[in-house]
Amino acid sequence: MNSPPSFLGSLTNLESFDNTPIIGTTFPNKSVQLSQLLSASNSDELIKDLSTLISHRGVVFFSEQDLSIEQQKELGTRLGELSGKPESSKLHTHPISEATPELSADISVITSKGGISKPEASFNHTRSSRGWHSDITFENVPSDYAHHAPQLMKFHKILKMHILPDVGGDTLWASGYEAYDRLSPAFAKFLEGLTAVHHAEIFIDYAQRHGLTMHDNRGSPENTGTHLTAIQFTKRIVELSPEESDDVLHYLQQHISENHDLQVRYRWKTNDVAIWDNRATLHTATHDFGDQLRQGNRVVSIGERPYFDPNSKSRRAVLGNTRQVVPDL
């Protein structure tokens, strides 16, 4: 495989490395602070180039960040705005997110104790591969960029009291670009143009069990109502019979979870930040830390309504890096 091209732009002079040839770039030096990129004299150029890097590499990691909650929200907003998202798209408010005096509802608290990241009663006795997903695909206008910052601090400010387990709790991301490129041309053509229903009944059930009123204004004028259903991804393929739909979705789920070389696995450290393109990646947490608390804050930017461009090209085709999928007879 050829070395991946660089998409760093104005970030070139900052120390970084690619985690794999397919997905993931890390800025390992804590002297590279996202808070400083936000206030730099060429901040718009830096943030726009960061958004380009994230979209090409899928997910980008930053070490030991001092990013505040408000700066995290500013970054989420500017990543989308500088890369051309609609003016009506803002930060997402999750249907079951609860505002507190310390955190507004557009900050998602991701915790192993329940809520957004664990709405079902139990994950016991299930396959780990069951957890692969993209965020908020039940919305008519889902997310473009999302970022997550698990933190461990000794101060008793609620915004900073986020905890990592002693060991475990890694997160994995998979490249949707590469997953598509590994399909045979005939199967890829079959999938193109199909539509699917995503219905987030787990969040509706969670709200009912806990007596919550779900948010009705969720970052876009099109993201309203409490049905949490969109024609997009993963629940059922509309044009196929139920049996055909189940079989195709099962294959695609295996295609993502069993191709480890289109994945990257990240081991969190205190105050690390991950930013990913939610349109072209899937991710899953690793639930291997028992009853220890794993918690962080997530900001989700709303992007554009998904659409199909029949004239679009795959990532490998654009980069001129083809891969033989169907073997010669």
Side-chain angles (χ1 to χ4, degrees):
M1 180 180 293
N2 297 329
S3 298
S6 174
F7 300 101
L8 291 167
S10 60
L11 305 169
T12 298
N13 293 330
L14 304 178
E15 180 187 355
S16 67
F17 64 86
D18 290 339
N19 300 80
T20 79
I22 299 299
I23 181 173
T25 295
T26 292
F27 291 85
N29 197 321
K30 66 180 180 181
S31 67
V32 179
Q33 290 292 326
L34 289 164
S35 58
Q36 295 178 5
L37 300 189
L38 289 171
S39 60
S41 58
N42 62 333
S43 180
D44 280 357
E45 178 187 19
L46 292 168
I47 301 303
K48 187 176 188 301
D49 285 351
L50 176 58
S51 71
T52 300
L53 176 66
I54 296 164
S55 291
H56 278 285
R57 295 296 302 160
V59 58
V60 176
F61 306 104
F62 292 86
S63 299
E64 299 183 60
Q65 296 296 295
D66 61 9
L67 205 65
S68 69
I69 290 296
E70 289 305 314
Q71 288 171 328
Q72 197 173 341
K73 292 168 62 173
E74 178 188 353
L75 179 60
T77 297
R78 292 176 64 189
L79 281 169
E81 289 178 347
L82 291 170
S83 56
K85 75 176 184 179
E87 292 185 3
S88 58
S89 292
K90 308 299 181 183
L91 296 181
H92 185 248
T93 298
H94 198 278
I96 61 171
S97 180
E98 296 184 66
T100 69
E102 296 82 14
L103 294 175
S104 55
D106 54 9
I107 297 290
S108 299
V109 178
I110 306 301
T111 175
S112 56
K113 297 303 181 184
I116 293 169
S117 61
K118 200 175 180 182
E120 295 175 294
S122 176
F123 279 108
N124 294 331
H125 309 298
T126 61
R127 292 181 177 178
S128 298
S129 58
R130 180 173 175 263
W132 284 101
H133 67 285
S134 293
D135 288 330
I136 66 166
T137 54
F138 54 82
E139 299 286 21
N140 290 311
V141 186
S143 169
D144 48 12
Y145 300 107
H147 48 107
H148 182 50
Q151 300 171 334
L152 174 62
M153 299 292 287
K154 295 181 179 178
F155 306 106
H156 294 286
K157 291 178 65 176
I158 191 67
L159 296 181
K160 296 292 184 180
M161 291 179 64
H162 303 292
I163 300 174
L164 294 172
D166 296 333
V167 66
D170 299 353
T171 302
L172 289 82
W173 283 262
S175 170
Y177 290 136
E178 183 66 12
Y180 175 84
D181 273 318
R182 294 196 186 182
L183 300 172
S184 67
F187 192 56
K189 189 68 176 177
F190 165 71
L191 293 175
E192 289 178 1
L194 295 181
T195 51
V197 173
H198 185 122
H199 179 50
E201 69 274 6
I202 57 174
F203 297 126
I204 298 173
D205 293 343
Y206 182 91
Q208 292 173 346
R209 290 199 313 269
H210 294 272
L212 300 178
T213 300
M214 291 192 295
H215 294 284
D216 191 43
N217 183 0
R218 302 189 295 274
S220 168
E222 298 183 59
N223 293 347
T224 60
T226 58
H227 49 81
L228 304 187
T229 302
I231 302 298
Q232 247 139 241
F233 180 72
T234 214
K235 192 67 176 179
R236 179 176 60 84
I237 299 176
V238 176
E239 293 85 356
L240 303 182
S241 71
E243 293 84 1
E244 292 169 337
S245 174
D246 288 345
D247 286 346
V248 170
L249 289 177
H250 178 68
Y251 171 76
L252 294 176
Q253 289 161 356
Q254 283 187 304
H255 187 59
I256 291 292
S257 63
E258 295 182 5
N259 277 306
H260 64 273
D261 53 349
L262 56 75
Q263 303 170 7
V264 61
R265 179 170 182 149
Y266 191 73
R267 178 167 294 177
W268 296 101
K269 302 186 304 297
T270 303
N271 293 335
D272 286 357
V273 170
I275 313 174
W276 64 96
D277 190 329
N278 194 61
R279 298 163 293 193
T281 62
L282 298 92
H283 59 278
T284 184
T286 306
H287 299 278
D288 58 353
F289 46 88
D291 293 330
Q292 295 187 69
L293 180 60
R294 178 184 184 271
Q295 185 167 301
N297 294 325
R298 187 185 69 187
V299 167
V300 176
S301 168
I302 291 295
E304 62 283 328
R305 176 183 278 270
Y307 65 96
F308 173 61
D309 179 0
N311 297 315
S312 61
K313 297 181 179 180
S314 74
R315 182 175 185 267
R316 282 185 176 270
V318 170
L319 298 178
N321 187 3
T322 58
R323 176 187 177 97
Q324 186 176 12
V325 176
V326 181
D328 296 326
L329 297 177

